[in-house]
Amino acid sequence: FTGDGKALALGSKDEIALVDVATGKLLDRLTAQMSTVGFIGFSPDAKTLVSHSHDNKVRWWDVAAKKILNQFDAEADGHSVFPLPGRLGEPAQHVERFSKSYHTAFSPDGKTVAVGISGCVQLWDVVAGKQWFPDQKPADGWGRVAFSPDGRHLLFGNWKHSRLCDSVTGDVRVELPAGTIRGVFSPDGKQLAFTRYQREEAKEAPTAIIWDIAAGKELFRLEHPRVERFSFEKLAFGPDGRTLLTLSTHVEDAGYPNCAMVHRWDTRTGKPLNNIRRQNTNAWPSTIAPDGRTAAIVLGQGLLLTYVENDEDLWTREDGTPEGWVGYPAFSPDAGFLFAWSSRSEVAMWEIATRSVIARLSLRRDGNITLAKWPVPDKDYKGEREMAFNQPEIEALVVSPDSRFVATSEQFERAHYRSALTKPTPLPAIRIWEAATGKEVQTLEGFRSRCTSSAFSPDGRRLASAFHN
C-alpha cells in the first residue's frame, strides 16, 4: 500500500499492477523482464517504488514515468531448479525456487533496502545502487565432515567449496573441485571418493569421482548413464580399498517410495562390477556399512539389510520406532551394530550378528529414557507443549570408533515446536551419550545454527561438526 492507503501495488510475473483501493480500478502497470515479483514497497511520498523479483534484482521505479531509475543485483545464487516427480514417459517437470526475494524490507525513509540471504543481511542504498558494508560476506554452511583414517585431515564442503584441512590447525591443505556434497577416504587414506552437487540443468551424467590426494588429481570418474531424477547419495570403500559402493536414488514414479540402487565399482579401473535394485524403498536416508559390504535400506515400514556382493537380503526389521517406521539408519564403524532414529528422537540399536535389539531409547533434554519396548509411554509427557519443549529433533547421529558412545545433533527449529511453546525456543546442542544405556556424558552448546554433520576422530577423542551456517 501507499502511505495514505489509497493505492495498492500488486506483484506478478514481469508486471506490477497499481490499483485504486476505493474503486478497485486499475491505475497503471509497470512492466519489465523480471520474472515473478516477490517484494514491493513504496517510498514515503509514493512517487517511487522498489521491487525485488525472482531474477535476483532490486529495481527502483519512477511510478509516474513508469520507468526504472536504477537496478542492482542484491544477492548471489538465489535461483535453484528442482525436478518434480512424474511418471515414466511423461515430459520432465521442474519448479524454480527463489526463496531469498521474499526476505526483503524497505526502510521507512525510503533510502535503504535490506535483503536477507543465507547467513547474511545485505543493506543497499537504493538511490546510488551501492551496497553498504560489501566486505561482510555470507557465512557458508557446511554439509558433511569426515576424518581421514589417521585423523590428521578433515574433509568438509558445501555447494561452493570443498577442502581438505589439517585437523589440528585448520590450515587448508588441498582445495578440491567445488560442489562436493559428500566424500569418504580410502582405507589407506591416499584416495578420496566424492560426489558433487548435480544441477538439474547440467547435461553430464551423474558421477562419483575417485581423487588422488597426493597428486591432487582425478583418477577415475564413475559414471551412471544419465537418467532423469537419479543421484548418488552415499559412498563407502571396501576393506581393501579395491572396491567402492555407491548408494543412489532413482525416482521412478510420482513420489515416494522410489528405488534404491547400490553399485559396486572397481577402484583400479573405474568399471562397475555389479549392482542391486530394491523397488519401493527410500534411498535418500539409507546408508552403506563402513566395511563396504552391506547396505541398510529404508522401507516404508522398517529396514532391509542387504549383502551387496551376492545381491542377498539378510534380514528385515520393523521394530525400530513406536510407529514401526525407521527413518535414518547408521552403522557403527566396525559394522557390528546398526542404529536408527526417527524425527521424534526415538533411537533403536541392533547387534547385526544376532539380529537382536540392544537398546530402545527416547531422547529427552532432561535425560534420555531407556525403554523395554515400544511405544513411548505418553504418561511421561505433560501435554503437547511440554513434549515439544523436552523432546528435540535429531539432525545427525554418529557412533564412536569403539561403539560405546553416540553423538546426536539436536535442534528445535521446526515450526511445530515454536508454535507449541510459550517459552523461548531452546538452542541447538550436541549431546554425547552411552549407546547401551542412553546415559548422557557430555553436552556441547554455545552455537545457534544447527549441526548438520559430525564425525569422531579415529581415536574417539575429538568430534568434528559442520553447521548450517
Side-chain angles (χ1 to χ4, degrees):
F1 289 93
T2 54
D4 59 11
K6 294 182 178 180
L8 175 67
L10 305 170
S12 185
K13 181 176 174 59
D14 296 330
E15 179 182 88
I16 299 170
L18 305 177
V19 179
D20 183 278
V21 173
T23 65
K25 179 182 178 182
L26 179 67
L27 300 176
D28 226 328
R29 299 178 189 270
L30 309 178
T31 61
Q33 294 293 320
M34 54 186 171
S35 189
T36 303
V37 177
F39 171 85
I40 42 181
F42 281 101
S43 62
D45 60 9
K47 293 181 179 180
T48 52
L49 178 144
V50 65
S51 69
H52 188 179
S53 52
H54 284 181
D55 62 356
N56 301 324
K57 294 183 184 297
V58 169
R59 292 173 173 84
W60 185 241
W61 298 80
D62 183 317
V63 176
K66 298 192 294 184
K67 69 178 184 179
I68 299 170
L69 298 173
N70 202 355
Q71 70 179 32
F72 45 90
D73 296 312
E75 58 183 283
D77 307 304
H79 176 198
S80 300
V81 180
F82 297 88
L84 287 174
R87 296 187 178 277
L88 289 177
E90 294 181 351
Q93 301 292 321
H94 304 84
V95 62
E96 296 184 83
R97 181 175 296 172
F98 307 85
S99 59
K100 297 173 185 176
S101 62
Y102 295 103
H103 302 286
T104 309
F106 196 21
S107 63
D109 62 6
K111 296 180 179 180
T112 306
V113 169
V115 179
I117 66 175
S118 181
C120 184
V121 174
Q122 296 178 346
L123 299 177
W124 288 82
D125 183 319
V126 294
V127 177
K130 294 182 178 180
Q131 183 183 353
W132 298 103
F133 318 116
D135 293 336
Q136 299 296 321
K137 302 297 182 182
D140 285 324
W142 300 102
R144 295 291 184 269
V145 63
F147 273 98
S148 61
D150 60 7
R152 294 173 56 192
H153 295 99
L154 270 174
L155 172 68
F156 60 95
N158 58 23
W159 65 278
K160 289 183 180 179
H161 310 287
S162 301
R163 294 166 180 165
L164 195 63
C165 293
D166 187 294
S167 66
V168 176
T169 66
D171 295 336
V172 178
R173 299 301 186 194
V174 179
E175 288 279 356
L176 297 169
T180 298
I181 188 171
R182 56 184 59 85
V184 293
F185 289 89
S186 62
D188 61 9
K190 295 181 179 180
Q191 296 178 348
L192 281 171
F194 58 84
T195 59
R196 300 176 68 181
Y197 284 88
Q198 181 73 17
R199 294 186 178 274
E200 179 63 25
E201 62 270 22
K203 301 301 182 184
E204 70 271 9
T207 59
I209 296 170
I210 297 180
W211 186 272
D212 186 300
I213 296 175
K217 66 179 183 179
E218 179 181 315
L219 294 177
F220 295 110
R221 194 168 275 227
L222 314 178
E223 291 196 358
H224 184 279
R226 178 167 173 78
V227 293
E228 290 290 338
R229 299 179 290 277
F230 176 96
S231 63
F232 288 110
E233 303 293 346
K234 306 287 171 57
L235 307 166
F237 276 96
D240 57 6
R242 295 183 178 182
T243 57
L244 179 77
L245 265 66
T246 60
L247 190 149
S248 54
T249 182
H250 186 198
V251 180
E252 293 189 326
D253 210 332
Y256 296 94
N258 302 309
C259 173
M261 301 181 66
V262 181
H263 291 76
R264 195 166 63 96
W265 308 80
D266 188 320
T267 58
R268 294 165 295 180
T269 65
K271 303 297 183 182
L273 298 173
N274 70 298
N275 69 80
I276 67 171
R277 302 169 63 95
R278 295 296 182 267
Q279 305 295 130
N280 300 318
T281 56
N282 293 324
W284 175 71
S286 302
T287 191
I288 304 172
D291 62 5
R293 289 172 171 160
T294 54
I297 299 175
V298 177
L299 306 174
Q301 294 286 328
L303 274 177
L304 171 66
L305 193 68
T306 298
Y307 188 61
V308 177
E309 186 172 354
N310 295 337
D311 196 0
E312 176 187 359
D313 291 340
L314 301 177
W315 47 266
T316 302
R317 296 306 301 250
E318 298 182 356
D319 56 356
T321 66
E323 298 82 11
W325 182 80
V326 182
Y328 304 91
F331 285 94
S332 62
D334 63 1
F337 297 92
L338 181 63
F339 294 76
W341 71 96
S342 71
S343 60
R344 285 186 56 175
S345 294
E346 291 113 1
V347 179
M349 175 184 178
W350 295 278
E351 185 177 43
I352 294 177
T354 63
R355 308 184 184 186
S356 58
V357 178
I358 302 299
R360 296 181 182 90
L361 299 166
S362 177
L363 304 192
R364 311 288 179 87
R365 294 177 72 246
D366 57 3
N368 300 336
I369 297 176
T370 303
L371 303 170
K373 60 180 181 179
W374 303 116
V376 179
D378 289 334
K379 65 181 180 182
D380 292 333
Y381 299 119
K382 297 178 181 178
E384 188 69 22
R385 291 186 177 183
E386 282 302 316
M387 179 186 71
F389 184 76
N390 193 30
Q391 192 164 355
E393 184 168 2
I394 299 177
E395 186 78 16
L397 181 149
V398 64
V399 187
S400 66
D402 60 5
S403 303
R404 290 183 57 202
F405 301 105
V406 176
T408 47
S409 165
E410 302 171 3
Q411 53 97 10
F412 295 82
E413 282 189 1
R414 305 302 184 218
H416 67 274
Y417 289 124
R418 293 197 296 268
S419 63
L421 298 177
T422 56
K423 306 173 184 178
T425 303
L427 292 177
I430 298 173
R431 290 197 301 153
I432 302 172
W433 41 273
E434 292 180 346
T437 66
K439 181 181 179 181
E440 184 177 320
V441 296
Q442 192 172 9
T443 300
L444 309 175
E445 298 176 301
F447 46 88
R448 301 187 66 87
S449 178
R450 70 181 189 271
C451 169
T452 58
S453 174
S454 58
F456 279 100
S457 61
D459 61 7
R461 296 183 178 183
R462 292 179 293 166
L463 185 76
S465 55
F467 291 86
H468 184 252
N469 50 41

